[in-house]
Amino acid sequence: MLFGENEAGFSFVDSDNYQGIVSACKHAIEAGYQQLVYIGLELEEAFTKSREKGYIDTVTKVGQAPKIYRFDNRSSAARKFIQTQNEHLVKNTCFICATDRLALGINQGLQSIGVEVPADFGIIGYDGVFLDQVSSPKLTTMKQAIVEMGEACGELLIQKIEHNDTSQRQQRFLPQLVVRESTR
């Protein structure tokens, strides 16, 4: 029994990572951003693959070519990326980020080069645990149902123990889009 999507065949509880990023992309498109760029994690895990696939599937459906950049989950890496790409950034772009930490770095990078968020560039994170609330501007994010997922893990584990249940089960929770100041 694991907390987190996996490819090892264990039962798990997790956020619906695919649908969460699809929702983030749809929000950015509806807000009028013409280009979506994915800032992903340099990590080969099931949840990172699901999030990235959600991005690829959504932008492909609207006729965009996917633009994906992967980093360690450090805001400094995302900030440096923006600072080095300054000349290549296209206004009216929304950065869809695999984590709020990466989104925070994108925000810091954009502020350091003097562009306007959310007018020129949008930013959407994923987690909604803490960092989304301390940034300025406050981050739009896909908020995970952490408490509910924790409760579901406990309930599923107890059920497996009490019933000697060896079957593989999955339970996903749809994250909630929380629109704040980093998108239109």
PDB file of all heavy atoms in Angstrom, residues 2-18:
ATOM      1  N   LEU A   2       0.724   2.093  -0.998  1.00  0.00           N
ATOM      2  CA  LEU A   2       1.559   3.285  -1.111  1.00  0.00           C
ATOM      3  C   LEU A   2       0.710   4.547  -1.223  1.00  0.00           C
ATOM      4  O   LEU A   2      -0.397   4.513  -1.749  1.00  0.00           O
ATOM      5  CB  LEU A   2       2.453   3.205  -2.350  1.00  0.00           C
ATOM      6  CG  LEU A   2       3.505   2.111  -2.393  1.00  0.00           C
ATOM      7  CD1 LEU A   2       4.198   2.115  -3.743  1.00  0.00           C
ATOM      8  CD2 LEU A   2       4.506   2.293  -1.277  1.00  0.00           C
ATOM      9  N   PHE A   3       1.281   5.634  -0.749  1.00  0.00           N
ATOM     10  CA  PHE A   3       0.713   6.956  -1.003  1.00  0.00           C
ATOM     11  C   PHE A   3       1.463   7.471  -2.217  1.00  0.00           C
ATOM     12  O   PHE A   3       2.594   7.897  -2.133  1.00  0.00           O
ATOM     13  CB  PHE A   3       0.923   7.878   0.206  1.00  0.00           C
ATOM     14  CG  PHE A   3       0.339   9.249   0.006  1.00  0.00           C
ATOM     15  CD1 PHE A   3      -1.017   9.450   0.127  1.00  0.00           C
ATOM     16  CD2 PHE A   3       1.144  10.325  -0.308  1.00  0.00           C
ATOM     17  CE1 PHE A   3      -1.567  10.705  -0.055  1.00  0.00           C
ATOM     18  CE2 PHE A   3       0.612  11.587  -0.490  1.00  0.00           C
ATOM     19  CZ  PHE A   3      -0.752  11.775  -0.363  1.00  0.00           C
ATOM     20  N   GLY A   4       0.842   7.362  -3.366  1.00  0.00           N
ATOM     21  CA  GLY A   4       1.477   7.819  -4.596  1.00  0.00           C
ATOM     22  C   GLY A   4       1.368   6.791  -5.701  1.00  0.00           C
ATOM     23  O   GLY A   4       1.602   5.598  -5.487  1.00  0.00           O
ATOM     24  N   GLU A   5       1.005   7.289  -6.862  1.00  0.00           N
ATOM     25  CA  GLU A   5       0.895   6.473  -8.061  1.00  0.00           C
ATOM     26  C   GLU A   5       2.204   5.729  -8.279  1.00  0.00           C
ATOM     27  O   GLU A   5       3.288   6.266  -8.057  1.00  0.00           O
ATOM     28  CB  GLU A   5       0.600   7.400  -9.234  1.00  0.00           C
ATOM     29  CG  GLU A   5       0.294   6.734 -10.528  1.00  0.00           C
ATOM     30  CD  GLU A   5      -0.112   7.735 -11.612  1.00  0.00           C
ATOM     31  OE1 GLU A   5      -0.378   8.915 -11.308  1.00  0.00           O
ATOM     32  OE2 GLU A   5      -0.149   7.309 -12.771  1.00  0.00           O
ATOM     33  N   ASN A   6       2.115   4.471  -8.720  1.00  0.00           N
ATOM     34  CA  ASN A   6       3.329   3.688  -8.952  1.00  0.00           C
ATOM     35  C   ASN A   6       3.098   2.693 -10.073  1.00  0.00           C
ATOM     36  O   ASN A   6       1.968   2.377 -10.417  1.00  0.00           O
ATOM     37  CB  ASN A   6       3.772   2.988  -7.665  1.00  0.00           C
ATOM     38  CG  ASN A   6       2.829   1.882  -7.255  1.00  0.00           C
ATOM     39  OD1 ASN A   6       2.972   0.745  -7.680  1.00  0.00           O
ATOM     40  ND2 ASN A   6       1.820   2.221  -6.434  1.00  0.00           N
ATOM     41  N   GLU A   7       4.193   2.210 -10.620  1.00  0.00           N
ATOM     42  CA  GLU A   7       4.138   1.226 -11.695  1.00  0.00           C
ATOM     43  C   GLU A   7       4.593  -0.145 -11.214  1.00  0.00           C
ATOM     44  O   GLU A   7       4.804  -1.046 -12.001  1.00  0.00           O
ATOM     45  CB  GLU A   7       5.020   1.698 -12.858  1.00  0.00           C
ATOM     46  CG  GLU A   7       4.513   2.992 -13.483  1.00  0.00           C
ATOM     47  CD  GLU A   7       5.495   3.617 -14.456  1.00  0.00           C
ATOM     48  OE1 GLU A   7       6.712   3.304 -14.392  1.00  0.00           O
ATOM     49  OE2 GLU A   7       5.054   4.432 -15.275  1.00  0.00           O
ATOM     50  N   ALA A   8       4.694  -0.306  -9.887  1.00  0.00           N
ATOM     51  CA  ALA A   8       5.190  -1.556  -9.311  1.00  0.00           C
ATOM     52  C   ALA A   8       4.071  -2.538  -8.993  1.00  0.00           C
ATOM     53  O   ALA A   8       4.341  -3.649  -8.554  1.00  0.00           O
ATOM     54  CB  ALA A   8       5.994  -1.259  -8.050  1.00  0.00           C
ATOM     55  N   GLY A   9       2.825  -2.137  -9.197  1.00  0.00           N
ATOM     56  CA  GLY A   9       1.719  -3.043  -8.947  1.00  0.00           C
ATOM     57  C   GLY A   9       1.175  -2.993  -7.527  1.00  0.00           C
ATOM     58  O   GLY A   9       0.376  -3.836  -7.146  1.00  0.00           O
ATOM     59  N   PHE A  10       1.599  -2.010  -6.728  1.00  0.00           N
ATOM     60  CA  PHE A  10       1.084  -1.874  -5.365  1.00  0.00           C
ATOM     61  C   PHE A  10      -0.194  -1.040  -5.374  1.00  0.00           C
ATOM     62  O   PHE A  10      -0.361  -0.142  -6.197  1.00  0.00           O
ATOM     63  CB  PHE A  10       2.113  -1.185  -4.454  1.00  0.00           C
ATOM     64  CG  PHE A  10       3.360  -1.978  -4.253  1.00  0.00           C
ATOM     65  CD1 PHE A  10       4.568  -1.523  -4.759  1.00  0.00           C
ATOM     66  CD2 PHE A  10       3.346  -3.174  -3.547  1.00  0.00           C
ATOM     67  CE1 PHE A  10       5.736  -2.240  -4.582  1.00  0.00           C
ATOM     68  CE2 PHE A  10       4.507  -3.903  -3.363  1.00  0.00           C
ATOM     69  CZ  PHE A  10       5.703  -3.443  -3.877  1.00  0.00           C
ATOM     70  N   SER A  11      -1.059  -1.304  -4.423  1.00  0.00           N
ATOM     71  CA  SER A  11      -2.240  -0.457  -4.237  1.00  0.00           C
ATOM     72  C   SER A  11      -1.764   0.938  -3.876  1.00  0.00           C
ATOM     73  O   SER A  11      -0.743   1.098  -3.201  1.00  0.00           O
ATOM     74  CB  SER A  11      -3.114  -1.010  -3.118  1.00  0.00           C
ATOM     75  OG  SER A  11      -3.662  -2.249  -3.478  1.00  0.00           O
ATOM     76  N   PHE A  12      -2.531   1.948  -4.320  1.00  0.00           N
ATOM     77  CA  PHE A  12      -2.122   3.312  -3.997  1.00  0.00           C
ATOM     78  C   PHE A  12      -3.295   4.264  -3.956  1.00  0.00           C
ATOM     79  O   PHE A  12      -4.356   4.000  -4.505  1.00  0.00           O
ATOM     80  CB  PHE A  12      -1.064   3.832  -4.987  1.00  0.00           C
ATOM     81  CG  PHE A  12      -1.573   4.066  -6.382  1.00  0.00           C
ATOM     82  CD1 PHE A  12      -2.188   5.261  -6.737  1.00  0.00           C
ATOM     83  CD2 PHE A  12      -1.419   3.089  -7.355  1.00  0.00           C
ATOM     84  CE1 PHE A  12      -2.642   5.487  -8.023  1.00  0.00           C
ATOM     85  CE2 PHE A  12      -1.868   3.304  -8.652  1.00  0.00           C
ATOM     86  CZ  PHE A  12      -2.484   4.504  -8.981  1.00  0.00           C
ATOM     87  N   VAL A  13      -3.048   5.389  -3.298  1.00  0.00           N
ATOM     88  CA  VAL A  13      -3.943   6.534  -3.277  1.00  0.00           C
ATOM     89  C   VAL A  13      -3.109   7.713  -3.746  1.00  0.00           C
ATOM     90  O   VAL A  13      -1.966   7.876  -3.314  1.00  0.00           O
ATOM     91  CB  VAL A  13      -4.496   6.791  -1.856  1.00  0.00           C
ATOM     92  CG1 VAL A  13      -5.283   8.089  -1.812  1.00  0.00           C
ATOM     93  CG2 VAL A  13      -5.334   5.617  -1.381  1.00  0.00           C
ATOM     94  N   ASP A  14      -3.665   8.531  -4.638  1.00  0.00           N
ATOM     95  CA  ASP A  14      -2.916   9.682  -5.137  1.00  0.00           C
ATOM     96  C   ASP A  14      -3.878  10.685  -5.754  1.00  0.00           C
ATOM     97  O   ASP A  14      -5.057  10.423  -5.945  1.00  0.00           O
ATOM     98  CB  ASP A  14      -1.886   9.245  -6.188  1.00  0.00           C
ATOM     99  CG  ASP A  14      -0.759  10.250  -6.389  1.00  0.00           C
ATOM    100  OD1 ASP A  14      -0.809  11.352  -5.808  1.00  0.00           O
ATOM    101  OD2 ASP A  14       0.174   9.932  -7.144  1.00  0.00           O
ATOM    102  N   SER A  15      -3.319  11.816  -6.082  1.00  0.00           N
ATOM    103  CA  SER A  15      -4.006  12.833  -6.867  1.00  0.00           C
ATOM    104  C   SER A  15      -4.173  12.289  -8.283  1.00  0.00           C
ATOM    105  O   SER A  15      -3.369  11.479  -8.742  1.00  0.00           O
ATOM    106  CB  SER A  15      -3.111  14.085  -6.875  1.00  0.00           C
ATOM    107  OG  SER A  15      -3.618  15.075  -7.700  1.00  0.00           O
ATOM    108  N   ASP A  16      -5.211  12.720  -8.971  1.00  0.00           N
ATOM    109  CA  ASP A  16      -5.356  12.359 -10.381  1.00  0.00           C
ATOM    110  C   ASP A  16      -4.444  13.313 -11.155  1.00  0.00           C
ATOM    111  O   ASP A  16      -4.858  14.380 -11.604  1.00  0.00           O
ATOM    112  CB  ASP A  16      -6.806  12.476 -10.835  1.00  0.00           C
ATOM    113  CG  ASP A  16      -7.023  11.892 -12.225  1.00  0.00           C
ATOM    114  OD1 ASP A  16      -6.065  11.907 -13.038  1.00  0.00           O
ATOM    115  OD2 ASP A  16      -8.140  11.430 -12.497  1.00  0.00           O
ATOM    116  N   ASN A  17      -3.195  12.921 -11.263  1.00  0.00           N
ATOM    117  CA  ASN A  17      -2.157  13.778 -11.828  1.00  0.00           C
ATOM    118  C   ASN A  17      -2.426  14.154 -13.276  1.00  0.00           C
ATOM    119  O   ASN A  17      -2.202  15.293 -13.677  1.00  0.00           O
ATOM    120  CB  ASN A  17      -0.801  13.080 -11.693  1.00  0.00           C
ATOM    121  CG  ASN A  17      -0.423  12.914 -10.250  1.00  0.00           C
ATOM    122  OD1 ASN A  17      -0.169  13.890  -9.552  1.00  0.00           O
ATOM    123  ND2 ASN A  17      -0.398  11.679  -9.766  1.00  0.00           N
ATOM    124  N   TYR A  18      -2.915  13.212 -14.045  1.00  0.00           N
ATOM    125  CA  TYR A  18      -3.223  13.474 -15.451  1.00  0.00           C
ATOM    126  C   TYR A  18      -4.314  14.534 -15.564  1.00  0.00           C
ATOM    127  O   TYR A  18      -4.142  15.557 -16.225  1.00  0.00           O
ATOM    128  CB  TYR A  18      -3.651  12.166 -16.138  1.00  0.00           C
ATOM    129  CG  TYR A  18      -4.044  12.342 -17.579  1.00  0.00           C
ATOM    130  CD1 TYR A  18      -3.089  12.264 -18.582  1.00  0.00           C
ATOM    131  CD2 TYR A  18      -5.368  12.593 -17.941  1.00  0.00           C
ATOM    132  CE1 TYR A  18      -3.440  12.433 -19.919  1.00  0.00           C
ATOM    133  CE2 TYR A  18      -5.730  12.761 -19.268  1.00  0.00           C
ATOM    134  CZ  TYR A  18      -4.768  12.681 -20.253  1.00  0.00           C
ATOM    135  OH  TYR A  18      -5.116  12.852 -21.574  1.00  0.00           O
TER     136      TYR A  18
END
